[in-house]
Amino acid sequence: MRAAAALALFLTLPLCACAPKAEAPAGLLGLDCAQPFEAQAAALVAQPGLKPAPEDRAEPYKFYSSDDGRTSYLITKPGAPGHPAIMMQRAQGGEVKTTGCPYGDKTHYEKLLAYLEGLKEWHR
């Protein structure tokens, strides 16, 4: 249930297809799937104005959101479905778009996307 709640916070609107590169609001990095997983993850979490969600050791993901709540990142931990992978959600113009970088097994990454897609209907 905690995992569903955390992922539901990450998801606010429908998922969009994966893209190799995604724009982010000024000052925040977009995803660049040509970068190695570790390097991109480190660069993303080092951004000023980005706050980590409380970490649950049972949760196989790390979540980070911008101060204004318009940009969020999900970074998989070892053992997570689709690991290694990074996803980004960006709210703009009344929509939230999700993009991602699947560094590992594409089938497991697609399952992760399907799981996240299913959570968009989750309510408390």
Side-chain angles (χ1 to χ4, degrees):
M1 184 66 109
R2 285 180 128 173
L7 286 173
L9 290 174
F10 178 72
L11 290 173
T12 56
L13 288 178
L15 291 172
C16 297
C18 299
K21 198 160 192 166
E23 292 182 28
L28 290 177
L29 297 174
L31 298 182
D32 179 358
C33 299
Q35 288 187 33
F37 171 79
E38 292 295 337
Q40 180 160 219
L44 293 173
V45 302
Q47 297 178 95
L50 198 63
K51 294 182 181 180
E55 194 167 339
D56 179 347
R57 284 193 266 149
E59 181 67 50
Y61 313 100
K62 293 181 183 179
F63 301 92
Y64 301 86
S65 294
S66 61
D67 288 335
D68 65 5
R70 297 179 57 83
T71 303
S72 296
Y73 301 96
L74 175 151
I75 300 172
T76 61
K77 294 194 258 183
H83 180 73
I86 299 173
M87 296 180 165
M88 180 181 84
Q89 280 196 323
R90 185 171 57 101
Q92 184 175 359
E95 292 183 2
V96 175
K97 296 194 178 188
T98 302
T99 56
C101 295
Y103 292 96
D105 182 285
K106 302 276 193 264
T107 302
H108 287 105
Y109 179 81
E110 292 298 324
K111 288 180 182 179
L112 175 59
L113 282 176
Y115 175 65
L116 294 175
E117 178 72 15
L119 287 176
K120 73 180 179 180
E121 300 299 323
W122 185 84
H123 300 282
R124 277 191 180 188

